[in-house]
Amino acid sequence: MPAEQLAEITELFAFRRTGYSLDAPFYADPTVFKIDMEAIFGKHWIFAASVAELPEPGDYVTVDYGPYSLIVLHNDDGGVNVLHNVCRHRGARVLTESAGSTGNLVCGYHSWTYSPSGDLIHASAPGEAKFDKNCFALKRAHSRVVAGLIFVCIADEPPADFDETSKIFEPYLAPHDLSKTKIAYQQNIIEEGNWKLVMENNRECYHCDGHPELACSLFPTWGLTEGLIPPHLEEVWDRNKEAQSSLEERCRRYGLPYEVVEELDTRIAGIRISRESLDGEGESFSADGRRLSKKLLGDLPDFRLGRCSMHLQPNSWFHFLGDHVITFGVFPINEHQSLVRTTWLVADDAEEGVDYDLEKLTYTWKQTNLQDKAFVELCQKGAGSPAYEPGPYMKSEYQVEAFINWYVQRVQEHLA
Amino acid sequence: MPAEQLAEITELFAFRRTGYSLDAPFYADPTVFKIDMEAIFGKHWIFAASVAELPEPGDYVTVDYGPYSLIVLHNDDGGVNVLHNVCRHRGARVLTESAGSTGNLVCGYHSWTYSPSGDLIHASAPGEAKFDKNCFALKRAHSRVVAGLIFVCIADEPPADFDETSKIFEPYLAPHDLSKTKIAYQQNIIEEGNWKLVMENNRECYHCDGHPELACSLFPTWGLTEGLIPPHLEEVWDRNKEAQSSLEERCRRYGLPYEVVEELDTRIAGIRISRESLDGEGESFSADGRRLSKKLLGDLPDFRLGRCSMHLQPNSWFHFLGDHVITFGVFPINEHQSLVRTTWLVADDAEEGVDYDLEKLTYTWKQTNLQDKAFVELCQKGAGSPAYEPGPYMKSEYQVEAFINWYVQRVQEHLA
Amino acid sequence: MPAEQLAEITELFAFRRTGYSLDAPFYADPTVFKIDMEAIFGKHWIFAASVAELPEPGDYVTVDYGPYSLIVLHNDDGGVNVLHNVCRHRGARVLTESAGSTGNLVCGYHSWTYSPSGDLIHASAPGEAKFDKNCFALKRAHSRVVAGLIFVCIADEPPADFDETSKIFEPYLAPHDLSKTKIAYQQNIIEEGNWKLVMENNRECYHCDGHPELACSLFPTWGLTEGLIPPHLEEVWDRNKEAQSSLEERCRRYGLPYEVVEELDTRIAGIRISRESLDGEGESFSADGRRLSKKLLGDLPDFRLGRCSMHLQPNSWFHFLGDHVITFGVFPINEHQSLVRTTWLVADDAEEGVDYDLEKLTYTWKQTNLQDKAFVELCQKGAGSPAYEPGPYMKSEYQVEAFINWYVQRVQEHLA
C-alpha cells in the first residue's frame, strides 16, 4: 500500500471518536476493507463451520471470505485440515463446490492430485527431470475444533489467547454435543452491507422492536434495569426475573454454567457468553416457547434450558438450546457485501416431519435474519451520504461499542 | 482529494478547448464526477419536484443524486422542508419509499423519531443520563418554491442569484397554476450516460430528425434563419412565422409573456425561457397539435398557447402548455448513469379516460425520451474510446456550448 | 500514468520468474490491463475477422477490444477499411450493430455522413461559415488481408515483421481458399478471465483429458516423446506415427506444406503453424474422424488432410481442415473478462442440412470451448487469492511459457 494511502488510513483510525459510530469510510472504502482482511480476517481465528457439516472423513466445506478460499476437510484422524483452495501449478480453484465428500483432491485443470493433508502426490509430467513434488503442497492454514465448532486461521502465528477463550466457552457448549447433531437447514443470504454493520447489528437488542417473531422468545425488557421499568412492563419484568432465577436454579442442579462472561474488547478472541431464560415455556424460539424438536441434544437432562448464547469476534454468534442449535457465520465479500450463513442443527436421530417441522423450526430466525438484513442495508446506504456523521451509542449499545473498540484496537496494532 | 489528483483535474478544466465538446474524462472519470457533485450539485439550486407531487401536508418525496438522499416534505405551514435522509443515530436511511405521506419521521432501525422539521423528538434511551436531543436533529437543506416548482440546495449558503432567475420565470409559469394540477403519469428511466450528456442533448434540436413524433409539434426549421431556408422548407418556414406571430398576438392580448430570455452562461442559475408556437392546431404535443386534455390549466383563457419551455441549470427542463405540463429532472447516479424523471401534470379536475387518454397524453415524450436515451448512450460509449477527441459545436448547438461554458466556469470557481 | 504506479508495474515485469506462471496482478490488476491495451493491443496486428464475414462491398463487422471500437469494412476496391467507430462531431458510436451492410456511414445522432473510407462528406450545418469537413474524417487504422484473414492495427506504425509472418503462413492456408467459404455458425462467449489466461489455455494440451470430445480427434499421446510411452499407449503412439507419415506423404504429393514452424517468442508477430494428422479417418473433428461437410474447400484434392493449425499472437488461433475452417479470436473486455468469438466456415456452395449438419459440425468445439471457459475461470478465481503464487510450467507447457516470454518482452519494450 502506498505510504500516502497508509497514512490516511492510520489517521482515520487515530481520529475515531469514542462513544460514536464509525466514520463512513470504515463501511464504504475498499482500502479499509483491504486492511480489515489483513488485520482481522488474516490474523484472527475465524468461525468456519460446525462438525455437523462434515461428519465423515473426506467430508469438506469450502469457505470464502474476502479474497480467500479455504477447504475445510474432515481428515482420517478425526481432525480437520484447512487448505488454501488454490492449485500450486497454475492457480486454479481445486474444489468448486461449497460442500461435498472427497478422497484425494484433484485439480480439475491438469489433474494435479493432492492428499487430504495437501501433499502433492501426483502430477503427470512426462519427461520432467527435475520436478520436486515436495515443494508444491497446497498451502495450509490452522484449525481448532472446540465443542464441535471449527475455527480456521490463515496467519502464520495464530493469536495464542484463543485457547483461553476456548476454555471459557467449552463448558457451556459441550453438553449440547454437536458431534451428535445434524444439519436441519442451512441458509446463505447476502447482505448489501459491510461485515462490521452485520456484527454491530447483532451486538444489541435496542432494535428488537423490529423483530416481532423473536420478541416472543426474548423478554421485551432488554436493556432495562431495576428502577427504570415503565409501569406497563412491570409484569414482564417480574416474569423475566422469575424465569431467570428458575433457569439458574436448574442449571446449578444440572451442573451447567450460566453466568455472563463478557470480554468483548478485553481480549484478542473477544467473547460474550451466557445462558438466559426464554419467555413462555422457556424451551425454544417458538411463539409459545415450547420445544421445536422432540429430541433433546447430547445428554441434556431437560428441554427447559433457555438459550446459551455466544458472540465470538470477529465473525460469529450462536444460540445453543435444549432442542436445537443455530450457528451464524459472517463471511465478508467486499466492503459493501457480506454473506451470512445460518445453520440449524438438531439431534442426529431427530426425524424431519416426525420430531420436528422444518418450517416451524426455522421460522423465527429466518424472519429475524431478513429483518436484520434490511437494517444493515439501511445503514450501508446511509453511510454513503456525505451528510452522515457518526452518532452516539446509547447505553443499551455498549456491546456494539465494545466490538468497535476491539476492532479499532486490533487494526491499530496491525498498522503499528 | 490528493494534491496530485486535484492538479490533474484543474489542468483538465484549464485546457478545455472552447467551441468543442468536452474531453473524455469529463464523462467517464469518477473523480470528475466527484467534483461535479461538490461544485455543481452540492452548491446550486436543484430542481426536485413540483408541488403536485406533494399536495397535502405530510406528503413527501425522496430525491437521490450522487451520494445524497434528501427528504422533500410538505410541512404544516404550506411550505417545504428539506432534510438529509440519514438518521443521526447510526446513519440509517430514515424514509425508504420514493414518495408517501408521513407524520413524524420514524427511523426504522431504533425508532428515533423526528418532527417534520427534523427535530429529534423521541429516542428511547433507558437510563441515559447526558443525552441532549437538541444536538441530533436531521440535517437540513434549503428549499424554494417558485411557480409550483420545488428547488433544493444543500450548500450552507445557496447562490443568491436564484431570486433573480425566479423573477424571470415566475410570470411565464404562474398562469398555468401548478397548485391546481395533479400527476397524470411519472416515468423514471436510467440512462447509461453522464448527466452532462443528458443536459447537452436537451440543449439542441440539431438531432431532432431522430424524434419523428416530436417533429409533428416542432416546426422542422429548427436552427434555420431567414435567408438560409431551402426551397422545400419555405412553406413550413412561412407557416411557422405565421403561427408564431399569431401566438404572440394572443399572448399580448392575454398579458402572457412570450419573449425569449436566454442567460445560460451569464448567471449562476442559468436559464432559457420562451413561449413558442406548435405546429398544427398549436395546442399540444399531439400529431395534429390538438389538446390532449380537455381541461385548461389555471385561469388560462385559451388552449392555443404553444409551449412555454424553460431550461434551468443544472438539472431540469419543462414544457408548460395550455392543457398539461411536463417536468424533467436529471438526477446523476454516477459518472456513467443518470436517472431522468419525467412527470406529466394535468388539471386536478381532469378525469382520466374522460378528459384525457393517458396513452395519448404521454406518447410523444415517452417516445422522445427513449430516443434521447439512445443518443446519450451512443455518446457515453463513444467517449470511452481513446480515439475520441472533442469535436466542433455547430452554430445550432450554441446552447450546448453555453451550458458547457457555464459548467466549466462554475467548477473552476469552485476549484479556485 | 503516475510515475509511482509506472515504477510498480515496471518492477512487476522485471521480477517475473522465468519458467513459472505469472503473478496475480497480471491477471487481476486494471493497471496491467491498461498497459496490455497500450503495449499489446494498441501496437500489434490483431486478428479481426475472415473475409467470409464481409463477402460483399459495403459489408462490415464492428470489433471491440478493451476501450476500442473499430469498423472493419469491405470497400469497393475489394480491400478492407478500418475506421474508429467514433463520430468526429460529438463522439457517438457510428455503427451500433456487430455486423451488417452499409453504403455511407451515417452517425445516428446528427446524421454526420462519412464515405466508406471515412471521409466526412456531409454535415448539415446551416449558416456555418468556417467549417472544414476535411478535418473531420473518421480516424483510420491499418489493415492486412492474408489468406482471407483480416488483421487490424491501430498503431501509427504497425510492426513490420508481420510481412514475414504472413509469408510463413500464407502457403499453408491459401489452398483452403477462404474467399470461397461462408459462415456456417458464429459463437460469442464471454469468459470470466483475463485474455492471457485464454491464450495460455490454448497453448497446451496438458489439460486435454478435460476435452473428451476433442480427444477423439487428437491422439491422446500429446506431449509424449519416443521412449516415454507407457505400455497402454504404445498402440496409439504407433497409430499416430503412421497417420502422420501418411499425411506427410500426401502433403508432399499435393504440394502442401506441413512442417512445424514455431516462432512464438522469437518474433513480434509470434506464430506456430503445422499440419498434423487427426485420429480415425483423419478428415475432421468428428468422433470417427470422417468429414463433417461434404464439400471440399478451395481446390483441395483430398479430405484427408488432418488439421492445419495456427496460433498467432496476441489473440487468435485457427484450424484449417479439408471440409471446414474454424477461426478463434480473443477480444479482451477488461482485466477479468474476455470475449471469445468462434466462427465455423464451410465451402460457400455447401448447403445446410444437405452437405452438413450444423449440430454435428459445431459439436466438438462448442463442447471444447465450454470446457476451456471453465478452466480459464478456475484460474481467474484462483489468482484472486493472496495464497496464489506462480507455479512451475511443465515441459508440455513450453508453448505457454513461450507465449508468456513473448508477452513480457513486448510489454517491457513498450515500457522502456
Side-chain angles (χ1 to χ4, degrees):
Chain A
M1 189 169 296
E4 193 182 351
Q5 210 174 8
L6 191 63
E8 268 178 43
I9 295 290
T10 304
E11 197 171 336
L12 187 67
F13 277 87
F15 283 91
R16 179 244 161 177
R17 185 172 174 193
T18 313
Y20 282 72
S21 65
L22 292 174
D23 280 292
F26 287 96
Y27 303 120
D29 184 335
T31 306
V32 173
F33 183 76
K34 215 176 146 197
I35 296 279
D36 285 3
M37 288 307 103
E38 288 173 22
I40 305 293
F41 282 80
K43 284 199 161 176
H44 291 76
W45 286 100
I46 305 299
F47 169 66
S50 75
V51 293
E53 296 178 52
L54 37 157
E56 302 294 327
D59 289 351
Y60 69 86
V61 296
T62 54
V63 175
D64 297 355
Y65 46 84
Y68 298 100
S69 180
L70 297 171
I71 298 164
V72 179
L73 182 87
H74 187 146
N75 66 29
D76 289 341
D77 307 328
V80 164
N81 298 337
V82 184
L83 304 164
H84 282 282
N85 193 7
V86 182
C87 184
R88 292 298 307 278
H89 176 218
R90 274 166 61 192
R93 282 272 166 97
V94 178
L95 296 182
T96 56
E97 301 294 319
S98 63
S101 184
T102 186
N104 289 326
L105 289 74
V106 184
C107 176
Y109 200 175
H110 302 93
S111 302
W112 282 34
T113 303
Y114 303 88
S115 74
S117 66
D119 292 324
L120 177 59
I121 53 179
H122 180 71
S124 150
E128 212 68 44
K130 50 178 180 58
F131 174 60
D132 184 357
K133 286 206 288 281
N134 295 321
C135 300
F136 297 100
L138 289 181
K139 292 188 179 178
R140 296 175 178 104
H142 303 276
S143 69
R144 280 280 202 296
V145 185
V146 183
L149 301 178
I150 303 169
F151 299 87
V152 302
C153 181
I154 60 173
D156 290 340
E157 297 185 24
D161 89 325
F162 188 73
D163 291 339
E164 297 166 30
T165 298
S166 299
K167 277 180 203 144
I168 295 171
F169 71 75
E170 193 166 22
Y172 287 77
L173 309 185
H176 296 256
D177 199 354
L178 288 189
S179 73
K180 291 186 187 139
T181 61
K182 64 172 185 182
I183 299 176
Y185 189 70
Q186 185 167 78
Q187 176 200 50
N188 289 293
I189 54 178
I190 290 175
E191 305 192 0
E192 301 289 328
N194 187 277
W195 69 276
K196 294 188 290 288
L197 290 175
V198 180
M199 295 303 290
E200 290 176 24
N201 176 70
N202 183 259
R203 290 287 178 276
E204 46 98 353
C205 208
Y206 182 22
H207 71 268
C208 282
D209 282 353
H211 294 314
E213 296 80 6
L214 184 60
C216 298
S217 306
L218 305 186
F219 292 89
T221 49
W222 202 94
L224 295 178
T225 49
E226 204 80 53
L228 285 167
I229 318 303
H232 75 283
L233 286 179
E234 273 170 13
E235 194 200 318
V236 178
W237 178 259
D238 291 340
R239 194 166 77 237
N240 187 3
K241 266 175 65 177
E242 198 180 303
Q244 185 67 21
S245 65
S246 158
L247 170 67
E248 295 181 0
E249 195 277 324
R250 278 197 304 287
C251 286
R252 281 191 296 271
R253 196 183 330 145
Y254 303 140
L256 297 172
Y258 59 84
E259 297 82 2
V260 177
V261 178
E262 189 165 291
E263 303 206 32
L264 289 170
D265 56 356
T266 48
R267 54 167 57 255
I268 297 175
I271 185 174
R272 186 185 193 279
I273 194 166
S274 66
R275 190 175 288 273
E276 295 177 40
S277 54
L278 292 166
D279 208 346
E281 292 297 314
E283 296 181 344
S284 202
F285 285 121
S286 50
D288 57 4
R290 277 182 205 278
R291 66 200 68 171
L292 289 164
S293 171
K294 292 177 187 162
K295 299 281 184 180
L296 264 178
L297 297 185
D299 298 320
L300 292 175
D302 194 338
F303 278 103
R304 216 173 160 203
L305 295 173
R307 59 182 173 98
C308 177
S309 298
M310 176 168 75
H311 306 262
L312 265 187
Q313 267 144 212
N315 83 316
S316 57
W317 64 90
F318 308 86
H319 296 297
F320 281 69
L321 286 72
D323 65 338
H324 75 289
V325 167
I326 320 180
T327 68
F328 302 78
V330 179
F331 303 101
I333 296 169
N334 52 42
E335 68 276 11
H336 58 83
Q337 293 185 311
S338 307
L339 175 73
V340 177
R341 177 170 293 152
T342 305
T343 313
W344 286 259
L345 305 172
V346 293
D348 54 10
D349 59 349
E351 211 177 319
E352 190 185 332
V354 176
D355 296 311
Y356 64 95
D357 178 289
L358 190 56
E359 285 304 305
K360 288 180 184 161
L361 178 73
T362 57
Y363 179 70
T364 293
W365 276 97
K366 272 189 184 167
Q367 294 299 106
T368 303
N369 279 350
L370 284 180
Q371 292 147 3
D372 281 332
K373 172 179 157 76
F375 292 142
V376 163
E377 294 178 352
L378 285 179
C379 286
Q380 185 72 25
K381 275 191 180 168
S385 169
Y388 166 72
E389 75 178 52
Y393 289 129
M394 300 287 100
K395 282 197 175 160
S396 55
E397 296 172 299
Y398 76 96
Q399 289 183 37
V400 182
E401 194 179 344
F403 165 70
I404 291 299
N405 288 342
W406 172 88
Y407 162 76
V408 169
Q409 191 182 329
R410 300 310 305 143
V411 176
Q412 284 186 321
E413 271 187 33
H414 172 80
L415 293 173
Chain B
M1 189 169 295
E4 193 181 350
Q5 211 175 5
L6 191 64
E8 267 177 44
I9 295 290
T10 304
E11 197 170 336
L12 187 68
F13 278 86
F15 283 91
R16 179 242 161 178
R17 187 172 173 193
T18 312
Y20 282 73
S21 64
L22 292 174
D23 280 292
F26 286 96
Y27 304 119
D29 185 334
T31 306
V32 173
F33 183 76
K34 214 177 145 196
I35 296 280
D36 285 3
M37 289 307 103
E38 287 173 22
I40 305 294
F41 282 79
K43 284 199 162 177
H44 291 77
W45 286 99
I46 306 299
F47 169 66
S50 76
V51 293
E53 296 177 52
L54 37 158
E56 301 296 328
D59 289 351
Y60 69 86
V61 296
T62 54
V63 175
D64 296 354
Y65 46 85
Y68 297 100
S69 179
L70 297 171
I71 298 164
V72 179
L73 182 87
H74 187 146
N75 65 30
D76 289 341
D77 307 328
V80 164
N81 298 337
V82 184
L83 304 164
H84 282 280
N85 193 7
V86 182
C87 183
R88 293 300 305 277
H89 175 218
R90 275 165 61 192
R93 283 271 166 97
V94 178
L95 296 182
T96 56
E97 302 293 319
S98 64
S101 185
T102 187
N104 289 327
L105 288 73
V106 184
C107 177
Y109 202 175
H110 302 93
S111 302
W112 282 33
T113 302
Y114 303 88
S115 74
S117 67
D119 292 323
L120 177 59
I121 53 178
H122 180 71
S124 149
E128 212 69 45
K130 52 180 180 53
F131 174 60
D132 183 358
K133 286 205 290 280
N134 294 322
C135 300
F136 297 100
L138 288 182
K139 293 187 179 179
R140 296 174 178 105
H142 303 274
S143 69
R144 279 280 202 296
V145 185
V146 184
L149 302 178
I150 302 169
F151 299 87
V152 301
C153 181
I154 60 174
D156 290 339
E157 297 185 23
D161 89 325
F162 188 73
D163 291 338
E164 297 167 28
T165 297
S166 299
K167 278 181 201 141
I168 295 171
F169 70 77
E170 193 166 21
Y172 287 76
L173 310 185
H176 297 256
D177 198 355
L178 288 190
S179 73
K180 292 188 186 138
T181 62
K182 64 171 185 183
I183 299 176
Y185 189 70
Q186 186 167 77
Q187 176 200 50
N188 289 293
I189 54 177
I190 290 176
E191 305 192 0
E192 301 288 327
N194 187 276
W195 70 275
K196 295 187 290 288
L197 290 174
V198 180
M199 295 303 289
E200 289 176 25
N201 176 70
N202 183 260
R203 289 286 178 278
E204 47 98 352
C205 208
Y206 182 20
H207 70 267
C208 282
D209 281 353
H211 295 313
E213 298 81 5
L214 184 61
C216 297
S217 304
L218 306 187
F219 291 89
T221 48
W222 202 95
L224 295 177
T225 49
E226 204 80 51
L228 285 167
I229 317 303
H232 73 283
L233 287 179
E234 272 170 13
E235 194 200 318
V236 178
W237 179 259
D238 291 341
R239 195 167 76 237
N240 187 3
K241 266 175 65 178
E242 198 179 304
Q244 185 67 21
S245 65
S246 158
L247 170 66
E248 295 181 359
E249 195 276 324
R250 276 196 304 287
C251 286
R252 280 190 297 270
R253 195 183 331 145
Y254 304 139
L256 296 172
Y258 58 84
E259 298 81 2
V260 177
V261 178
E262 189 166 290
E263 301 206 34
L264 289 170
D265 56 356
T266 46
R267 54 166 58 252
I268 296 176
I271 184 174
R272 185 186 194 279
I273 194 165
S274 67
R275 190 176 289 273
E276 295 178 39
S277 55
L278 291 167
D279 208 346
E281 293 297 314
E283 295 182 343
S284 202
F285 285 121
S286 51
D288 58 2
R290 276 183 206 277
R291 66 200 71 171
L292 289 164
S293 171
K294 291 177 187 161
K295 301 280 184 182
L296 263 179
L297 296 185
D299 297 320
L300 293 174
D302 193 339
F303 279 102
R304 214 172 161 205
L305 295 172
R307 59 181 173 99
C308 177
S309 298
M310 174 168 75
H311 306 263
L312 265 187
Q313 269 142 212
N315 81 317
S316 57
W317 64 90
F318 309 85
H319 297 295
F320 281 69
L321 286 72
D323 64 339
H324 74 290
V325 166
I326 320 181
T327 69
F328 301 78
V330 179
F331 302 101
I333 296 170
N334 53 41
E335 69 275 11
H336 58 84
Q337 292 185 311
S338 307
L339 175 73
V340 177
R341 176 170 294 152
T342 305
T343 312
W344 286 258
L345 304 172
V346 294
D348 54 12
D349 59 349
E351 210 178 319
E352 189 185 332
V354 177
D355 295 312
Y356 64 95
D357 177 291
L358 189 57
E359 285 305 305
K360 287 181 185 159
L361 176 73
T362 57
Y363 180 71
T364 293
W365 276 99
K366 272 189 183 167
Q367 293 300 106
T368 302
N369 279 351
L370 283 181
Q371 292 147 3
D372 280 332
K373 171 179 158 75
F375 292 142
V376 163
E377 294 178 354
L378 285 179
C379 286
Q380 186 72 23
K381 276 191 180 168
S385 170
Y388 166 73
E389 74 177 54
Y393 290 127
M394 299 287 100
K395 282 197 175 161
S396 55
E397 296 170 298
Y398 76 96
Q399 288 182 37
V400 182
E401 195 179 345
F403 164 71
I404 291 299
N405 287 342
W406 173 88
Y407 162 76
V408 168
Q409 192 182 329
R410 300 310 305 143
V411 176
Q412 284 185 320
E413 271 187 32
H414 171 80
L415 292 174
Chain C
M1 189 169 298
E4 193 181 351
Q5 210 176 5
L6 192 63
E8 267 177 44
I9 295 290
T10 304
E11 197 171 336
L12 186 68
F13 277 87
F15 283 91
R16 180 243 161 178
R17 186 171 173 194
T18 312
Y20 282 73
S21 64
L22 293 174
D23 280 291
F26 286 98
Y27 304 119
D29 184 334
T31 307
V32 173
F33 183 76
K34 214 176 147 197
I35 296 279
D36 285 3
M37 288 308 103
E38 288 174 22
I40 305 294
F41 282 79
K43 283 198 160 177
H44 291 77
W45 286 100
I46 305 299
F47 169 67
S50 76
V51 293
E53 297 177 51
L54 36 157
E56 301 296 327
D59 290 350
Y60 70 86
V61 295
T62 54
V63 175
D64 296 355
Y65 46 85
Y68 298 99
S69 179
L70 297 170
I71 297 164
V72 179
L73 181 89
H74 187 145
N75 66 29
D76 289 341
D77 307 327
V80 164
N81 298 337
V82 184
L83 304 164
H84 282 282
N85 192 7
V86 182
C87 183
R88 293 300 305 279
H89 175 218
R90 275 167 59 192
R93 281 272 166 97
V94 178
L95 296 182
T96 56
E97 301 293 319
S98 63
S101 184
T102 186
N104 290 326
L105 289 73
V106 183
C107 177
Y109 201 175
H110 302 93
S111 302
W112 281 34
T113 303
Y114 302 89
S115 75
S117 65
D119 292 324
L120 177 59
I121 53 179
H122 180 71
S124 149
E128 213 68 46
K130 52 180 176 53
F131 174 60
D132 183 357
K133 286 205 291 279
N134 295 322
C135 301
F136 297 101
L138 289 181
K139 292 188 180 179
R140 295 174 178 106
H142 303 274
S143 69
R144 280 279 202 298
V145 185
V146 184
L149 301 178
I150 302 169
F151 300 86
V152 301
C153 181
I154 60 174
D156 290 340
E157 296 184 24
D161 89 325
F162 188 73
D163 291 339
E164 296 166 30
T165 297
S166 299
K167 277 180 201 142
I168 295 171
F169 71 76
E170 191 166 23
Y172 287 76
L173 309 185
H176 297 256
D177 200 355
L178 289 189
S179 74
K180 291 186 185 138
T181 62
K182 65 171 185 182
I183 299 176
Y185 190 70
Q186 186 167 77
Q187 176 200 50
N188 289 293
I189 54 178
I190 290 176
E191 304 192 1
E192 301 288 329
N194 187 277
W195 70 276
K196 295 188 290 287
L197 290 175
V198 180
M199 295 304 289
E200 291 176 24
N201 176 69
N202 184 260
R203 290 287 177 275
E204 46 98 354
C205 208
Y206 183 21
H207 71 267
C208 282
D209 281 353
H211 294 314
E213 296 80 7
L214 184 61
C216 297
S217 304
L218 305 186
F219 293 88
T221 49
W222 202 93
L224 295 177
T225 50
E226 205 80 51
L228 284 167
I229 317 303
H232 74 282
L233 287 179
E234 271 170 15
E235 195 199 317
V236 178
W237 179 258
D238 291 340
R239 195 167 77 236
N240 187 2
K241 266 175 64 178
E242 199 179 304
Q244 184 67 21
S245 66
S246 158
L247 171 67
E248 294 181 358
E249 194 277 323
R250 277 196 304 287
C251 285
R252 281 189 296 271
R253 194 180 335 142
Y254 304 139
L256 296 172
Y258 58 84
E259 297 81 2
V260 178
V261 177
E262 189 165 291
E263 302 206 32
L264 289 169
D265 55 356
T266 47
R267 54 166 57 253
I268 296 174
I271 183 174
R272 186 185 192 281
I273 194 166
S274 67
R275 189 175 289 274
E276 296 177 40
S277 55
L278 292 166
D279 206 347
E281 292 297 314
E283 296 182 346
S284 203
F285 285 121
S286 50
D288 59 3
R290 276 184 206 278
R291 65 201 69 171
L292 289 164
S293 170
K294 291 178 188 162
K295 299 282 185 181
L296 263 178
L297 296 185
D299 298 320
L300 292 174
D302 194 339
F303 278 102
R304 213 171 162 206
L305 294 173
R307 61 182 172 98
C308 178
S309 298
M310 175 167 76
H311 306 262
L312 265 186
Q313 269 143 212
N315 81 317
S316 57
W317 63 91
F318 309 85
H319 296 296
F320 281 70
L321 285 72
D323 65 337
H324 74 289
V325 166
I326 321 181
T327 69
F328 302 78
V330 179
F331 303 101
I333 296 169
N334 53 41
E335 69 275 12
H336 58 84
Q337 292 185 310
S338 307
L339 175 74
V340 177
R341 177 170 294 152
T342 305
T343 313
W344 285 259
L345 304 172
V346 294
D348 55 11
D349 59 349
E351 211 178 318
E352 190 185 331
V354 177
D355 295 312
Y356 64 95
D357 177 291
L358 190 55
E359 285 305 305
K360 288 180 184 160
L361 177 74
T362 56
Y363 179 70
T364 292
W365 277 98
K366 272 188 182 166
Q367 294 299 106
T368 302
N369 279 350
L370 283 181
Q371 293 147 3
D372 281 332
K373 171 180 159 74
F375 292 143
V376 163
E377 294 177 355
L378 285 179
C379 287
Q380 186 72 23
K381 276 191 179 168
S385 170
Y388 166 73
E389 75 176 54
Y393 289 129
M394 300 287 100
K395 282 197 175 160
S396 54
E397 296 172 299
Y398 76 96
Q399 289 182 37
V400 182
E401 195 180 344
F403 165 70
I404 291 299
N405 287 343
W406 172 88
Y407 162 76
V408 169
Q409 192 182 329
R410 300 310 306 143
V411 176
Q412 285 185 320
E413 271 187 32
H414 171 79
L415 294 173

